[in-house]
Amino acid sequence: MSVAPQQSRPIRAQILGIRDYFPARVITNKDMEKIVDTNDEWIVERTGIRERRRSETHETPSFMGVEASKKLFADFKIDPLSIDLVVCATITPDYTFPASACLIQNQLGCKNAFAYDLLAACSGFIYGLETARAYVESGRAKRVLLVAAEKMSAILDFQDRQTCILFGDGGAAALIEAGNDKSYIIDSIMRSDGSGAPCLYMPAGGSLKPPSVESVQNREHYVKQEGKSVFKRAVVDMADVCQEILEKNKLTGSDLKLFVPHQANMRIIDAAAERIGLPKEKIAINIDRFGNTTAATIPTALLDAERKGQVKKGDLILIASFGAGFTWGSSLLRY
Ligand code: UT7
């Protein structure tokens, strides 16, 4: 008697859990008024930001990543030796090299993991999630620790009111492993357009323009942004990529339990939410309390929404980002 070969189910990837770390020091808009020519009303109206966190010297991406990961490992009873890969999404690594992911891997005792950094700016978490998903779904890794952490205050020009009021420090760690029918990453769309590089970048400190007295005097080791150009692209591209992934999966905004957009500007978030027809209560927002924490906005806002009871495991959620590169994308998941 012949036995029919068993059809093996494809492996899916899920986010098992997320934990965050924010520096304790709060910088309000009133505090910013003492640093640059700005005011609370302008910042709230144009961005939605009320306050942000500022790191102490030791609070680097690796420090924040380790602290968030320790909470994650304790709460979900994760053995550090069971981690196969550590990815750290950041544009403000502790050092240019080695990777902050290696520092994290060492401090957590993830001795069986290989580790590297991923640079996708505000899309760092979405790109990192896609990376983790690829490793898990292909069977190349069972468990991936994805850290998204930024010390943006290290690269902000506190004489430039157009950028220094926008960003904050913070981080999160997420554990990605094999999913099940209730909890898995359904689909994703990733995009890049390098022609946008000059609109949002740091001119010096890389190999093209190594640090020099001149580069420091010219304040070239700080974030430079053409706010309006980035704004215009972000509004259109983030909304487009949200609509596209919903249509591709034959879903509409009303099927979603939660939308977790990158937190760069409340007006960009509102435009994307309006396009997919989502009411305010279905949007995860933490920009008011933390500003733009670059790679860390999505996991921290998602965790925040979970704590508030806006979302629970198994719910259908959409995450989306737009940032320097340009990089952007969306992912649809059963959380
Ligand atoms: O996360 C990575 C991706 N980044 C983004 O998605 C950010 C996209 N861009 C933005 O969010 C917005 O463009 C900003 C929030 C950066 C700026 O808002 P805006 O509505 O585009 O303002 P603006 O740059 O056109 O400036 C309007 C006015 C100007 O004054 P005048 O020329 O009209 O007299 C600015 O000088 O506001 C002035 N201004 C400020 N006033 C008070 C600019 N920054 C400030 C400030 N406080 N901090």
Side-chain angles (χ1 to χ4, degrees):
M1 196 174 73
S2 68
V3 179
Q6 282 228 317
Q7 199 86 50
S8 66
R9 286 165 64 99
I11 306 171
R12 289 163 152 173
Q14 67 156 325
I15 301 176
L16 181 71
I18 301 172
R19 289 297 177 263
D20 60 1
Y21 178 90
F22 282 105
R25 194 163 150 212
V26 176
I27 307 290
T28 64
N29 289 348
K30 287 278 169 211
D31 295 326
M32 293 306 302
E33 287 178 9
K34 293 174 204 146
I35 301 170
V36 283
D37 179 18
T38 189
N39 58 79
D40 179 51
E41 297 71 30
W42 191 96
I43 301 174
V44 172
E45 196 181 300
R46 298 286 180 125
T47 71
I49 300 165
R50 292 181 186 278
E51 57 187 48
R52 71 288 289 144
R53 298 298 173 93
R54 173 90 56 84
S55 294
E56 304 300 335
T57 308
H58 69 281
E59 290 176 310
T60 61
S62 76
F63 180 90
M64 294 190 259
V66 166
E67 292 304 305
S69 301
K70 280 184 188 164
K71 288 187 245 172
L72 187 69
F73 288 3
D75 291 351
F76 290 87
K77 301 191 173 31
I78 303 293
D79 179 356
L81 296 176
S82 71
I83 305 293
D84 299 312
L85 167 63
V86 179
V87 175
C88 179
T90 186
I91 60 165
T92 51
D94 300 44
Y95 306 101
T96 301
F97 74 91
S100 292
C102 291
L103 309 180
I104 294 168
Q105 179 259 354
N106 177 49
Q107 286 175 59
L108 292 172
C110 298
K111 292 195 167 134
N112 297 318
F114 65 112
Y116 57 85
D117 285 359
L118 185 154
L119 198 163
C122 299
S123 301
F125 183 77
I126 284 210
Y127 275 38
L129 190 61
E130 186 67 352
T131 302
R133 177 188 169 206
Y135 276 100
V136 170
E137 285 186 352
S138 66
R140 296 291 296 273
K142 283 203 166 58
R143 278 188 164 156
V144 180
L145 177 67
L146 171 59
V147 169
E150 302 285 6
K151 187 177 180 179
M152 291 303 293
S153 58
I155 58 166
L156 289 179
D157 185 347
F158 286 94
Q159 292 182 13
D160 176 9
R161 67 177 184 173
Q162 298 190 21
T163 51
C164 73
I165 54 109
L166 299 172
F167 296 92
D169 300 339
L175 202 288
I176 292 94
E177 64 172 25
N180 51 50
D181 290 343
K182 290 201 180 106
S183 209
Y184 63 100
I185 299 164
I186 300 167
D187 197 10
S188 58
I189 299 174
M190 301 290 129
R191 294 269 152 78
S192 301
D193 175 6
S195 71
C199 296
L200 181 49
Y201 78 126
M202 196 166 90
S207 58
L208 181 65
K209 209 178 236 195
S212 64
V213 171
E214 191 193 16
S215 70
V216 171
Q217 282 169 348
N218 292 340
R219 312 187 74 75
E220 290 179 298
H221 295 271
Y222 297 124
V223 173
K224 307 282 177 205
Q225 176 173 244
E226 285 174 27
K228 275 246 181 293
S229 318
V230 179
F231 185 91
K232 282 183 197 154
R233 282 292 300 262
V235 163
V236 174
D237 290 334
M238 200 164 88
D240 278 356
V241 85
C242 288
Q243 201 168 23
E244 192 181 336
I245 201 167
L246 288 176
E247 281 171 8
K248 189 176 160 209
N249 288 276
K250 301 187 174 36
L251 295 165
T252 65
S254 58
D255 296 310
L256 297 173
K257 182 74 185 198
L258 189 71
F259 174 44
V260 191
H262 170 51
Q263 314 276 309
N265 188 313
M266 206 50 224
R267 291 180 290 146
I268 299 172
I269 295 171
D270 286 342
E274 196 182 315
R275 176 88 79 83
I276 52 177
L278 279 183
K280 279 225 161 359
E281 60 275 13
K282 281 191 173 183
I283 313 171
I285 300 295
N286 72 356
I287 188 172
D288 52 334
R289 284 155 292 145
F290 301 108
N292 182 350
T293 53
T294 307
T297 63
I298 291 175
T300 58
L302 174 50
L303 180 61
D304 195 46
E306 194 179 359
R307 285 182 181 137
K308 286 182 193 154
Q310 266 181 295
V311 70
K312 58 179 187 338
K313 288 304 280 182
D315 284 341
L316 185 65
I317 69 174
L318 174 65
I319 64 179
S321 69
F322 185 90
F326 294 131
T327 57
W328 69 105
S330 61
S331 295
L332 197 56
L333 37 129
R334 288 246 164 244
Y335 181 47

